[in-house]
Each structure stands twice: as C-alpha cells, then as structure tokens.
Amino acid sequence: MASIKELASKGNLFAPGHRACAGCGGTIILRLVAAAAGENTVFIGATGCMEVASTIYPYSAWKVPFLHNAFENSAATASGVESAYRALKKKGKITKDINIIAFGGDGGTYDIGLQSLSGAMERGHKLLYICYDNGAYMNTGIQRSSATPFGANTTTSPAGSVIKGKTQQRKDLSEIMVAHNIPYVAQASLFYWNDLVEKVKKALKVDGPSFINILSPCPLGWGYDPSETIELSELAVATHFWNVYECENGKYKVNIKPKKEKPLEDFLFKQQRFKHLKNNPEILEQLRAFLKEKYENLLKKEEISAR
Amino acid sequence: MRKIVAKTGNEAMAEAMRQINPDVVAAYPITPATEIVQIFSNFVNNGQVDTIFVPTESEHSAISACVGASASGARVMTGTSSQGLALMHEILFVAGGLRLPIVICEVNRALSSPINIHCDHSDTMASRDAGWIQIFSENPQEAYDQTILAMKLSEDLFLPSMVTTDGFIISHAMQKLEMYDDKEVKDYLGEPKTPFNFLNLDDPITVGPLALQDYYMEIKVQQSKFINESKKKIINILQDFNKRMGRNYKVVEDYFMEDAEYAIVCLGSTAGTARYVVENLRKKGEKVGLLKIRFYRPFFDEQIMDILKNLKGCAVLDRSDMFASTGGHLFNDVKSALYASQKHPIIRDYIYGLGGRDIDIEDIEEVFKDIKEFSTNKNEEFVKYITVRE
C-alpha cells in the first residue's frame, strides 16, 4: 500500500494549473491515477471536461504524454496506440514498458463511446480504461446521460411540474464490462483513495484490458459546495449509491462494506439535483429499492464467485 | 525481380500494402473494399508482414485507431469505401489537422440512400475538404503504384492520403500488373516517418489540444499554407517516383490537348474509355482531347487552367452530384480554376454513372457532340444528366 506522503512526494504528473472548477472530482481522480501509474504512462482522453480543462493551447497540465482524438473514440484510439506500441517494441524501436491509460466521462464512456470501448475491450488490448462518472454530460451543461441516476434533475431531464427528473434507472456499465470477460473490472471512490490507487496498479499489471469506473462528484452538476466533494464520495458508498468492488478474472470482491450504513437521504439531499425528491417520496423509494437490490446482488455475486 | 501478374484492383492494393509493410492496419470490412484487408489479413497471419492487424468494430474505430497508432510513430494504413468512409468523416479532419501520414485504400462507391454497392464518387467527394491528399486511379496498375506513392507522399509531407479506385470497375476487374520487387519498395519508402511521437516518454507532448479564438485560426492557416506549398513538392516526389519506377505519371494528365478545341475532363476509370474515344475522333480529324485529373486534392488549378483555357468547349464528367443545383464537384472546381484565366472555354457539366450506371463509348462520343453544339448555342442548362433512363 502506498502512503499519501509517498504519492505526494513524486510530484504531480497531472499538474496544477488546469482550469477545472474548484472541488472537481475528475481532476482529483486523474491526479491519483497518474500518481499510481507513474512516469512511464501515456494518457488518451475523450473530449469532455477533463480534456478541455487540461489542454488549453498553448498550455497543458500533462507532464506525461497526452493524446486527444475525439469524443466517442478514446478506447479505439488507445487500441491504436497499444498496437503501435507492440509493433514498435517488436522492432526494438521502443524499449521501455509503457502503461496505456484511456479515459472518458460517463458521456464518452457509457453512451457515445460505448461501442468503441466494447470493441477495444473485446479485442484484448493491454490498456486500462478509466471512466470518471459524474452522472451527466457536465461539459455541455448538465444534460442527462445513461449514467444519470433515477429522479435526478438535469437540463434535459428537468424536475418539471409533470415529469420530475430522469425517469430511467442508471445503466450498469461496470457489469457490462464484466460481461466482456476481461481480466479486471472495478469501481472505486475518491474517499477510498488507497483502494483506488491499488486498483490502478493492479489493473496495469494484468495482461489484457482493464476497466475502472470511478464516481466523480461534480459541484456544478450535482449542486453542492465544492468543499464537500470527498464527503459526498464517502456518503455515496455508505448509502450504497455507489459500490466499491472489483471483479478479477470473474471473481467478485466487495472492497468496501460500510460498517455504518447511512440513509440514502444523507447523500441525496446534500445535492440540488435531488432536492425535488423531498416532495416526491415515491421517486425516492424507487431509487432506494433499485440501489438496495444492486448491492444485495453484488453481495450474492461475491458469495457465488468465491465458491 | 519485377514480375508481371494479373490482379484485380483490390488485389493490387493489398499487394502494395504487403510491400509497404505497415506497422499497424486497423480496418472494418465494406463492399467493395473488403477484399483489400481480407487479403492483407492473410499476409499478417501467414507471417508475410510485420503488421499488427486491428480488426475494429466499425470504420469510425478503424480510423480512430489509425490516428492513435500514427501519433505513436507507426506506419499506418486502412481500407474502406462509401458508408465506411462517411462513418470515418469526423476523424478524417482530426488526422488532417494533426498532419498524420495515414494512407487509406478507398474504393469509390455510391452513398445511401438508396443503398447501392456500385461505383460513383460521392463518398470520396464528401471527404474532399478534410486536408487529405486524394488520388484517383484509372486501373489496377495505377492503384498499385499510387498506393506506394501515397505512403511516400504522406511520410514526406506529413499529410494523410487516400488512393481511390472505382468500385467493381477497377476493384474487381483483373488486369495486367507490373509488380516491383519487394526490396525496391522497401528501399523507396525507407523507414516510417511521423511528425511527432506520442510514445516518446523522454519528450512528453500533448496532442490534440483545445485551441480557441486566440490560436485556432493560426493553426488552420498554417495547415492551409502548407497544403498550398505541398503542390510543388508533390510534383517533385512524383517525378522522382517516375524516374525510379519507370512510370510517366503527371498530377493532371493531358492527352491530345495541344491543339484541342473540345475536351473532356474526368476522374478514374472513365478516363480509359474517354481516351479510346479521343483516339478514334482524332483519326477522323476532330480536334478533341482529354484531361485526366489524377490528384483531386490538392487541386492543381493552375495546371488545369493552362491546359483548358484555349479550348472552345470543355465537358466535365462528374460521377457525383453536389445537390446544390450547381452540378457536380469536379465541374465546380474546374470552373473556379478557369475563372483565373482571361480567356476560357464554354464549360458544361455531364453528371453520369451514379450508383454504378455504366458509361459507354457511345455516351462519351455523344458528350463530344453535345459540347460542340452547346459551345455555339447554349440554350440549355449548364448541368446535364447523361446515362439516365428515358
């Protein structure tokens, strides 16, 4: 296990000076991922907040190589990078071992980039894909995505007088990735930074594709005070809104089983996007039931795969 | 040693790819280009090339992987057609903007709707503004030669290239092909070259940044200026290719144009038929000629103007329509090129052969008759659709 001192002592590979909002979860994720992966790493980023905020010409927040192609194709682009890496290594033109990490938000990963991601994972390229999931298209102004939670207010699923927020439950992308039979799939939370760092290290060691889905609180999109990003990252896990687990070669492990579970309201009502649920308890109950079932299923999968 | 073989356009392009020996090929099958990468994947699995083959789940991912691989310092190729090229559209501009030396073997096929698998140029024309070199081939020999040439051009100029053949007419038609020795091609191309290397950890760079009102314009003007300057370089590289390989290619090819009064301008396989018609009419004493456009992008407007300006009538054959009421793509480009000349001929567009509709010797003879008449008496539309059912 790395200590926070040790991580900090290496300096930031994703440097301060990017232009993300105060309290942005995505930038903390990238800094931790880069620290865990180390210098011999290249990043391929999808169009989105993290790319836009970190590479405004002529500046770049990246101290390691960074490549942006388009919105829906960071996994396909990374698969090309990985293929070039293999070809050039075979020819002796590259001698170092290089970690290849692609990333995207939930828009670039769950939705527009899903096909590209699925293709790259199925083809077995040795690369790690990181999704920073903030539960909406934040870069274009908080529009709903398939990762947006049930009931959440977004600019395209507004809490109106008739329809009150998003009317569909979240897509379970991590389980879709498990269904690709890739060696390593995990979910992580910023609050459990050590778990996150260890997962990145583990993912980079597997011989094949790996995927880590990380909850990325967004002060602007969720509607909360920027100082509460880490607290919300903890509450999301304590309320089973977001489960921290991994699936390694088909074996599930729930890494964080909160000792003190907290009521879902503690997480939801710190955020403007759910405030209308106070007056719409039936929506809240549907969300609660969905999350409960998800967590229980996860425990069952852990139990079954341990046999 | 060189050898004479019989190959289809697709086979010829696949053989060129084998001799080019790219580091990475990422592709998705589409009729009528499928064979190119199908044959090539056999070369890969039989150990005849060093290539990593990436069988992507779409053309969009194929060109995206090409961008990633080329940015990483690899020599990169792909093949596609029609809807496949249309699906790549977005990323063609990224490759152009990043100046990545990717080569596409593109087989010209009509765009939907209606869906059609046969030849016209609407697919290639729709991607003409992406900052790519576009080269049209008249036969399998040109397809083969120009695939090798395109790799050279791309790596010398840091511009992506697409080499096109006409779907089925060339892609599936077998003709005589002179193939170079593998070593000849290897020596001609040398080591792969890319403008930067994203995988160089000692010099970490950011590729594909966000550039806004303060810098975007300068970056795009640089791109444009370079493409203007590339025209001279293309001519030099082509001359060098001719010398080494024993060819006689020009960026635009004039045939019986010195004293011609009427001429046809066209692209691709139709040039072969048109040349035959010109020869026959010349025998009858008619002053007719042909201008074949080999390089469509960049557009060699000055050369084209010089060749065409003294004509009485100029017939442009377009195998694509712009659906703007102003004719086809080639017509509009040729017309613009002629505007720079004080003197210029009457010019008429003949849109033909959409979706693989055959164009015959008689059709081209008819075009010569028509342009003659139209030049003295233009009482009809400037855009005429030929080879259409009555």
Side-chain angles (χ1 to χ4, degrees), chain A residues 125-127 182-184 200-211 248-249:
Chain A
H125 299 279
K126 188 177 167 359
L127 60 91
I182 57 174
Y184 191 75
V200 171
K201 288 183 174 174
K202 208 173 193 177
L204 290 172
K205 275 189 196 134
V206 303
D207 188 21
S210 50
F211 175 86
E248 199 178 348
N249 297 313

Side-chain angles (χ1 to χ4, degrees), chain B residues 210-386:
Chain B
L210 172 77
L212 299 171
Q213 300 95 320
D214 47 357
Y215 284 105
Y216 182 90
M217 177 106 190
E218 282 69 27
I219 293 169
K220 296 319 271 186
V221 171
Q222 271 182 15
Q223 186 185 346
S224 197
K225 272 189 178 159
F226 185 79
I227 286 172
N228 295 347
E229 288 162 12
S230 78
K231 283 158 79 169
K232 261 190 194 149
K233 293 174 183 168
I234 288 171
I235 291 170
N236 290 339
I237 293 168
L238 185 59
Q239 277 168 354
D240 175 62
F241 179 87
N242 287 338
K243 221 165 104 188
R244 287 181 76 132
M245 302 304 194
R247 299 281 172 255
N248 192 22
Y249 296 150
K250 292 190 220 161
V251 289
V252 293
E253 264 164 41
D254 49 316
Y255 190 66
F256 280 114
M257 289 299 293
E258 302 76 30
D259 62 341
E261 291 177 348
Y262 303 96
I264 278 179
V265 185
C266 70
L267 295 159
S269 61
T270 306
T273 321
R275 192 180 295 108
Y276 177 81
V277 172
V278 167
E279 278 168 12
N280 281 347
L281 293 177
R282 278 278 171 179
K283 279 176 201 160
K284 289 179 190 166
E286 297 205 32
K287 290 191 170 175
V288 292
L290 167 69
L291 178 64
K292 175 171 92 172
I293 310 290
R294 185 183 299 282
F295 280 80
Y296 181 64
R297 286 290 181 271
F299 197 66
F300 285 84
D301 54 344
E302 285 174 27
Q303 286 83 348
I304 291 166
M305 181 195 78
D306 275 343
I307 295 167
L308 300 178
K309 65 182 179 198
N310 294 322
L311 290 171
K312 287 185 182 162
C314 176
V316 178
L317 295 189
D318 257 308
R319 207 163 197 155
S320 60
D321 194 344
M322 284 169 52
F323 304 108
S325 86
T326 56
H329 300 82
L330 186 57
F331 175 65
N332 279 274
D333 281 332
V334 170
K335 203 166 58 167
S336 300
L338 285 169
Y339 190 79
S341 169
Q342 288 288 326
K343 194 180 160 218
H344 47 76
I346 297 295
I347 177 168
R348 190 173 203 193
D349 193 17
Y350 299 83
I351 294 182
Y352 76 99
L354 302 184
R357 175 60 53 82
D358 209 14
I359 179 148
D360 238 322
I361 294 162
E362 294 78 35
D363 299 316
I364 294 176
E365 285 170 349
E366 196 54 46
V367 168
F368 273 120
K369 256 187 227 162
D370 187 88
I371 189 66
K372 222 171 182 179
E373 213 168 283
F374 186 76
S375 307
T376 51
N377 179 26
K378 12 170 221 192
N379 55 2
E380 282 181 85
E381 302 275 324
F382 277 91
V383 181
K384 187 173 179 175
Y385 292 80
I386 60 167

Side-chain angles (χ1 to χ4, degrees), chain A residues 36 76 81-82 86 114 177 193 196 213 235 251 273 277 298:
Chain A
V81 170
E82 190 257 5
R86 272 191 291 148
L114 181 63
M177 287 298 107
W193 58 269
L196 191 159
N213 204 351
L235 280 170
K251 274 203 174 224
R273 64 174 174 161
L277 301 196
L298 191 60

Side-chain angles (χ1 to χ4, degrees), chain B residues 68-315:
Chain B
S70 183
S72 301
R75 177 178 284 169
V76 179
M77 298 182 80
T78 185
T80 194
S81 178
S82 185
Q83 306 299 116
L85 188 65
L87 189 56
M88 289 181 176
H89 193 69
E90 179 198 22
I91 310 304
L92 295 179
F93 289 78
V94 177
L98 293 177
R99 304 266 311 268
L100 295 175
I102 300 165
V103 173
I104 296 184
C105 295
E106 146 69 16
V107 181
N108 294 309
R109 168 187 145 180
L111 286 173
S112 297
S113 175
I115 187 169
N116 176 297
I117 57 167
H118 293 279
C119 174
D120 69 35
H121 297 156
S122 51
D123 53 352
T124 298
M125 290 299 163
S127 48
R128 76 202 155 134
D129 300 334
W132 286 58
I133 293 173
Q134 291 185 320
I135 317 173
F136 281 76
S137 317
E138 187 186 318
N139 50 43
Q141 185 70 54
E142 287 193 359
Y144 168 80
D145 282 334
Q146 288 173 170
T147 304
I148 296 164
L149 171 70
M151 198 76 247
K152 182 74 170 178
L153 288 169
S154 282
E155 290 184 346
D156 276 8
L157 303 174
F158 298 142
L159 291 174
S161 307
M162 60 181 85
V163 182
T164 81
T165 65
D166 284 350
F168 292 104
I169 302 165
I170 297 175
S171 69
H172 286 63
M174 195 170 277
Q175 283 189 18
K176 191 179 93 173
L177 176 74
E178 187 196 25
M179 273 181 66
Y180 308 120
D181 189 81
D182 290 358
K183 192 173 177 298
E184 248 182 303
V185 177
K186 197 180 168 194
D187 291 346
Y188 173 62
L189 291 177
E191 282 298 300
K193 281 181 279 178
T194 51
F196 50 82
N197 186 351
F198 166 67
L199 284 180
N200 182 3
L201 297 173
D202 299 326
D203 180 21
I205 51 167
T206 289
V207 184
L210 172 77
L212 299 171
Q213 300 95 320
D214 47 357
Y215 284 105
Y216 182 90
M217 177 106 190
E218 282 69 27
I219 293 169
K220 296 319 271 186
V221 171
Q222 271 182 15
Q223 186 185 346
S224 197
K225 272 189 178 159
F226 185 79
I227 286 172
N228 295 347
E229 288 162 12
S230 78
K231 283 158 79 169
K232 261 190 194 149
K233 293 174 183 168
I234 288 171
I235 291 170
N236 290 339
I237 293 168
L238 185 59
Q239 277 168 354
D240 175 62
F241 179 87
N242 287 338
K243 221 165 104 188
R244 287 181 76 132
M245 302 304 194
R247 299 281 172 255
N248 192 22
Y249 296 150
K250 292 190 220 161
V251 289
V252 293
E253 264 164 41
D254 49 316
Y255 190 66
F256 280 114
M257 289 299 293
E258 302 76 30
D259 62 341
E261 291 177 348
Y262 303 96
I264 278 179
V265 185
C266 70
L267 295 159
S269 61
T270 306
T273 321
R275 192 180 295 108
Y276 177 81
V277 172
V278 167
E279 278 168 12
N280 281 347
L281 293 177
R282 278 278 171 179
K283 279 176 201 160
K284 289 179 190 166
E286 297 205 32
K287 290 191 170 175
V288 292
L290 167 69
L291 178 64
K292 175 171 92 172
I293 310 290
R294 185 183 299 282
F295 280 80
Y296 181 64
R297 286 290 181 271
F299 197 66
F300 285 84
D301 54 344
E302 285 174 27
Q303 286 83 348
I304 291 166
M305 181 195 78
D306 275 343
I307 295 167
L308 300 178
K309 65 182 179 198
N310 294 322
L311 290 171
K312 287 185 182 162
C314 176

Side-chain angles (χ1 to χ4, degrees), chain A residues 164-184:
Chain A
K164 295 167 198 310
K166 194 188 174 200
T167 53
Q168 298 84 14
Q169 296 285 0
R170 280 166 55 84
K171 183 195 277 180
D172 196 339
L173 181 64
S174 301
E175 289 305 292
I176 295 172
M177 287 298 107
V178 170
H180 280 68
N181 299 313
I182 57 174
Y184 191 75

